[in-house]
Amino acid sequence: MEKHFNSTIPEITHEMLNPEFWIRHSETSSRIIGCYDKIESFNNKSISTNHIKDIFDFKIQYAKNEVVDLILSISGPIKKEMYRNGLKLNEEDIKKLQTNLAIDKIPYNPVVKYGIITYRTVVKSYPTDDKFFDNKEEYVIDRLMESAINICEPVLVFHESYDKEWYFIESYNCKGWVRKKYLAIGNKNDIEEYTKSEDFLIVTGRRIYTNYNPIDKRTSLIPIDMGVKLRLVERNCIPNEVDDMDVLASYVIYLPVRNEKNGKLEFVKTLIPICADVKVGFLHYTEENIIKQSFKFLGERYGWGGDFFSRDCSSLVLDVLKTMGVYIPRNTSNQSDENLGIVKKMNGLKVYQKKNFLDWLHPGSILYMKGHVMIYLGKYNEEYYIIHDTIGFYLSCICKTKTGDLKYIKANGVTLTPMSIAYTTSGQNYIDALIASKIFI
């Protein structure tokens, strides 16, 4: 394999692309960072401090102005200097978007419904598939992207768009507009029971798929991302076969599907192959597992807000931690809040002090710069390494110093980076740019 390897980044070797390299050389520990009770306590505290939400504790009766304010907090003013399909937005374009919000259609006392996502989709700040960019050449950062949301995610449904193709929803860590066809409306108790079941599979692979199903297309080749919980069918309810397939070599789960006639939720027995990268129950919350899980994304293309059927820097960290039962906010700024988790603030420290701190820091710790999050891998041959999902960064042409021109690395994906020679777009060295390290517990 090494003969096919080409490193565009100095001090990255082929063997470093294997998580076992870092587990061996960085003294990564298999000790438990937090047991189940401690993780549950962390999650409950995150809810109580409003870092994440328990949607099942929400009220379902709202005043009209409350729903209007909620929608407008996401569907804010659009700048005319944005571009769509290479063309500058005009007043008519913006008016159509605002009309589709259907603000005037919100009833005086709207009743919120419960739903569950039935197919991975994006969450937009406006109900449209169009992508809006800051200039004609941009194609990565769609300014209407809020997040991506996975199958099995419970949501509150507040409102329907004017064209009746979109719902405005809120999940535990994001809100915005999702395509109606990827969501099923259901009973709160049924959805809560499914979501909080203690008998579940956790998807530990980057992405798995259900088997091809010629009997029920609703469950055929469904993509399921890392961190998704799939409720297992109770042992006494497991049939001998599902859709003409023997269950011996499969897990039998309940998969949420949407009844296309009425949009209602159904739970359908579905098979997950025993060979799939899944686990019964959560992974142990260890440094070793954080690194192993993060490397499953290595080489995946960058997707701003979850676009491109992919992830960005904060959702990579989020999905890794979900496999261990740790739930954190969606965006980097909220994740880095000093009141969340065990935080070491690094603002004001000199570079040598930050290096001294990195010498002490455990691999698997989460590192933050302004607007960016990374997973620390450790120190090797006097260099500090991270794995992160990034559009790109600059490298010093002469290692360890900023002598000469900086070379831009158009990463556009999950990659490894030596911190001493990496620079931000503003020309600041990665180590100097660190503002905090964190353990979510």
Side-chain angles (χ1 to χ4, degrees), residues 39-40 42-43 202 282-283 320-327:
I39 292 170
E40 187 175 39
F42 169 81
N43 290 335
I202 193 79
F282 292 118
L283 291 171
V320 165
L321 293 180
K322 278 168 66 177
T323 64
M324 295 158 235
V326 180
Y327 291 87

Side-chain angles (χ1 to χ4, degrees), residues 7 13 50 54 66 77 86 88 121 133 181 192 206 276-277 288 311 374 409:
S7 177
T13 63
N50 212 33
D54 180 354
E66 291 179 294
K88 192 173 182 179
T121 188
F133 303 106
K181 64 182 179 180
E192 185 171 17
R206 167 181 167 265
D277 194 344
E288 187 174 311
R311 293 163 184 80
M374 307 149 284
I409 301 296

